[in-house]
Amino acid sequence: MKKLILVFTLICVSLNSNAQNDPKAKALLDQVYNKVKSYDNIFIAFKYALDNSQENIHQETNGDVTLKGEKYVFNYLGATKIFDGSKTYTVIPENEEVVIESNEGNEEDAITPSAMLTFYTEGYNYQMDILQNVNGRQIQYVKLSPIDSNSQTKEILLGIDANTKHIYNLIEVGNNGTKTTITVSNLKTNQPLPDSMFSFDKDRYEALGYYIISN
């Protein structure tokens, strides 16, 4: 789940200038960043697929995430992760439990959009890749290559709708042959969201008999 959140916050990424990077790719990514930053909030429904032909693995599932500033609600694999700006609450109905984690005093590992948006900005080179027609949409890909030769990631392809400047999909290719693809199936912006959406109602879950774990 943490990795998926990291991947999704790439939609807001702003990259620093680098002599080895393609200025056209940087300009496009900056357009995506500025477009996303103009929104008060974003809702993304997505399809997640993991493939490894050598191991005969194919997995697909769906999920969604809502982002507002530093706060988010992330639904995936039957669990819900809520970040209210200071604490993360992972609600797992199957186990009837909630795990509460505080980010205070641990800013480097804090799972917040601002932290996640920059996790690869100094670790990747990037350049323009292919322009592809997908169901009538022009999708421009930007290829991100890890600088670290020991990275488990071979490359990341970020597909951007050339018209809307929204992310269409993200493809991560691992050195072990595993390909992870996240495709945006629905994107909504500036929705009327209640403040309570990003808060955790402890009394409610205690009344339901959930076991609450605080770390």
Side-chain angles (χ1 to χ4, degrees):
M1 181 176 284
K2 179 178 180 180
K3 183 177 181 180
L4 271 179
I5 299 175
L6 291 173
V7 168
F8 266 101
T9 50
L10 283 172
I11 63 173
C12 304
V13 73
S14 175
L15 301 181
N16 298 320
S17 297
N18 187 311
Q20 300 182 45
N21 291 323
D22 184 345
K24 290 184 178 180
K26 182 183 186 304
L28 179 58
L29 290 169
D30 283 344
Q31 282 183 298
V32 174
Y33 173 77
N34 291 328
K35 187 73 173 287
V36 170
K37 288 292 288 183
S38 70
Y39 300 134
D40 179 63
N41 59 70
I42 303 174
F43 166 83
I44 302 168
F46 64 89
K47 181 176 75 172
Y48 173 89
L50 185 147
D51 293 277
N52 188 314
S53 57
Q54 295 179 350
E55 301 293 334
N56 195 29
I57 296 174
H58 176 75
Q59 300 172 353
E60 284 190 9
T61 189
N62 298 304
D64 63 74
V65 60
T66 301
L67 300 166
K68 182 177 181 179
E70 293 295 325
K71 302 176 182 181
Y72 63 77
V73 177
F74 183 65
N75 297 298
Y76 181 67
L77 293 178
T80 298
K81 185 180 286 288
I82 303 168
F83 179 64
D84 63 5
S86 61
K87 292 184 179 181
T88 303
Y89 307 85
T90 303
V91 182
I92 310 171
E94 183 178 2
N95 299 338
E96 295 189 345
E97 69 177 26
V98 178
V99 179
I100 304 175
E101 299 172 283
S102 176
N103 293 320
E104 293 180 4
N106 193 23
E107 294 183 359
E108 289 187 2
D109 296 326
I111 308 176
T112 66
S114 62
M116 293 181 292
L117 295 177
T118 58
F119 83 97
Y120 75 80
T121 54
E122 296 181 356
Y124 285 78
N125 290 320
Y126 46 93
Q127 61 186 28
M128 296 290 273
D129 204 78
I130 64 171
L131 177 65
Q132 191 173 57
N133 187 308
V134 180
N135 298 323
R137 299 170 64 184
Q138 295 299 305
I139 306 300
Q140 175 64 61
Y141 283 89
V142 174
K143 182 166 71 174
L144 308 172
S145 304
I147 296 173
D148 183 1
S149 59
N150 295 319
S151 173
Q152 296 181 3
T153 299
K154 181 180 179 181
E155 64 183 24
I156 294 175
L157 292 170
L158 193 62
I160 300 167
D161 188 309
N163 181 42
T164 65
K165 301 301 184 293
H166 289 157
I167 298 300
Y168 167 70
N169 69 349
L170 184 145
I171 304 169
E172 180 183 18
V173 181
N175 287 323
N176 63 353
T178 299
K179 182 173 75 172
T180 302
T181 304
I182 296 178
T183 303
V184 176
S185 56
N186 190 16
L187 186 149
K188 298 178 182 179
T189 61
N190 296 339
Q191 299 294 296
L193 302 178
D195 292 337
S196 59
M197 180 176 185
F198 301 97
S199 62
F200 174 69
D201 188 344
K202 185 177 180 180
D203 292 339
R204 174 194 171 197
Y205 286 97
E206 286 182 334
L208 290 172
Y210 275 54
Y211 182 56
I212 298 178
I213 306 167
S214 295
N215 294 332

